[in-house]
Amino acid sequence: MKNTIRLMVVAAALIGSNYSFGQSTTTGTGSTDVAFSGRPTMSFGVTAAKPIGNLDKTTDFGGGGDIKFAFPVGVNTDITAQASYLYFSRDNSNPAVQHATQLIPFKAGFRYRFGPRSFYLEPQAGYSAAAVGGSGGSQGGFVYAGNIGYFLSNHFDLSLRYEDVIRRGMPNDSRSNPFVGLRLGYNFKL
């Protein structure tokens, strides 16, 4: 839990800073846009997550951080790669639940932007390690997500996503672990 808080504080400090990495690029409209410069970008983000479905039976609330890379492949399209850490606190109202849940997803995706400083859609898929404290190990599985986001400014974007981890070797009632997350990201050019 302490490491999660530290990670969130560091990410918030990065987001809160006005320091710009690299040179700005001017688009045809005269504005400077990091996320639309035609160059690869890196993003640090913080996520607040609300478990739903099976995950809601054992956890209350989640949070964490991530790093995302975007590689332009065409007009308004990017290939993305993202690594995250999410910590879900245990459900205190359920005495049968003794431990928190941690997810470490690695996802690749395709982001389509509807123009500069506008909405985007980003489906993702990959692999996630899932650890339940005290269980003596982790069970990994397929992860998929659907993001809808908006570029708030030159450096910031806000997105809402549905994400689910399908863990192998689990009973049918605990195989799926979905949540809804709200992410604030800080972007800069590489």
Side-chain angles (χ1 to χ4, degrees):
M1 181 67 178
K2 288 181 183 179
N3 288 337
T4 302
I5 292 170
R6 286 182 192 144
L7 179 61
M8 290 172 68
V9 168
V10 168
L14 286 171
I15 289 171
S17 75
N18 289 324
Y19 184 74
S20 176
F21 298 90
Q23 298 176 350
S24 63
T25 300
T26 303
T27 64
T29 61
S31 65
T32 55
D33 288 314
V34 168
F36 316 107
S37 65
R39 293 177 50 190
T41 60
M42 184 165 73
S43 172
F44 290 102
V46 292
T47 298
K50 171 66 177 119
I52 56 177
N54 294 326
L55 191 59
D56 189 39
K57 296 175 186 174
T58 59
T59 63
D60 272 335
F61 183 78
D66 65 70
I67 184 170
K68 182 190 285 190
F69 296 93
F71 305 95
V73 293
V75 177
N76 294 329
T77 56
D78 302 313
I79 297 294
T80 62
Q82 182 175 7
S84 307
Y85 172 80
L86 294 158
Y87 177 91
F88 291 90
S89 61
R90 72 181 185 89
D91 184 356
N92 291 326
S93 66
N94 185 347
V97 177
Q98 299 295 319
H99 304 285
T101 298
Q102 300 171 66
L103 300 175
I104 306 172
F106 299 93
K107 300 174 291 195
F110 177 81
R111 179 169 62 194
Y112 179 77
R113 300 182 311 270
F114 293 96
R117 290 204 183 121
S118 67
F119 287 97
Y120 63 86
L121 296 175
E122 182 182 12
Q124 296 175 302
Y127 177 82
S128 179
V132 178
S135 67
S138 67
Q139 301 91 22
F142 174 73
V143 61
Y144 65 94
N147 299 281
I148 183 167
Y150 185 78
F151 284 96
L152 301 170
S153 69
N154 185 26
H155 291 282
F156 294 97
D157 74 281
L158 186 67
S159 63
L160 181 68
R161 79 174 179 272
Y162 171 84
E163 186 166 321
D164 194 358
V165 178
I166 309 297
R167 298 189 298 173
R168 299 181 309 252
M170 300 298 290
N172 285 339
D173 62 345
S174 63
R175 193 170 293 205
S176 176
N177 297 276
F179 66 89
V180 175
L182 183 65
R183 177 185 186 267
L184 179 63
Y186 179 77
N187 304 279
F188 56 92
K189 292 183 292 189
L190 295 178

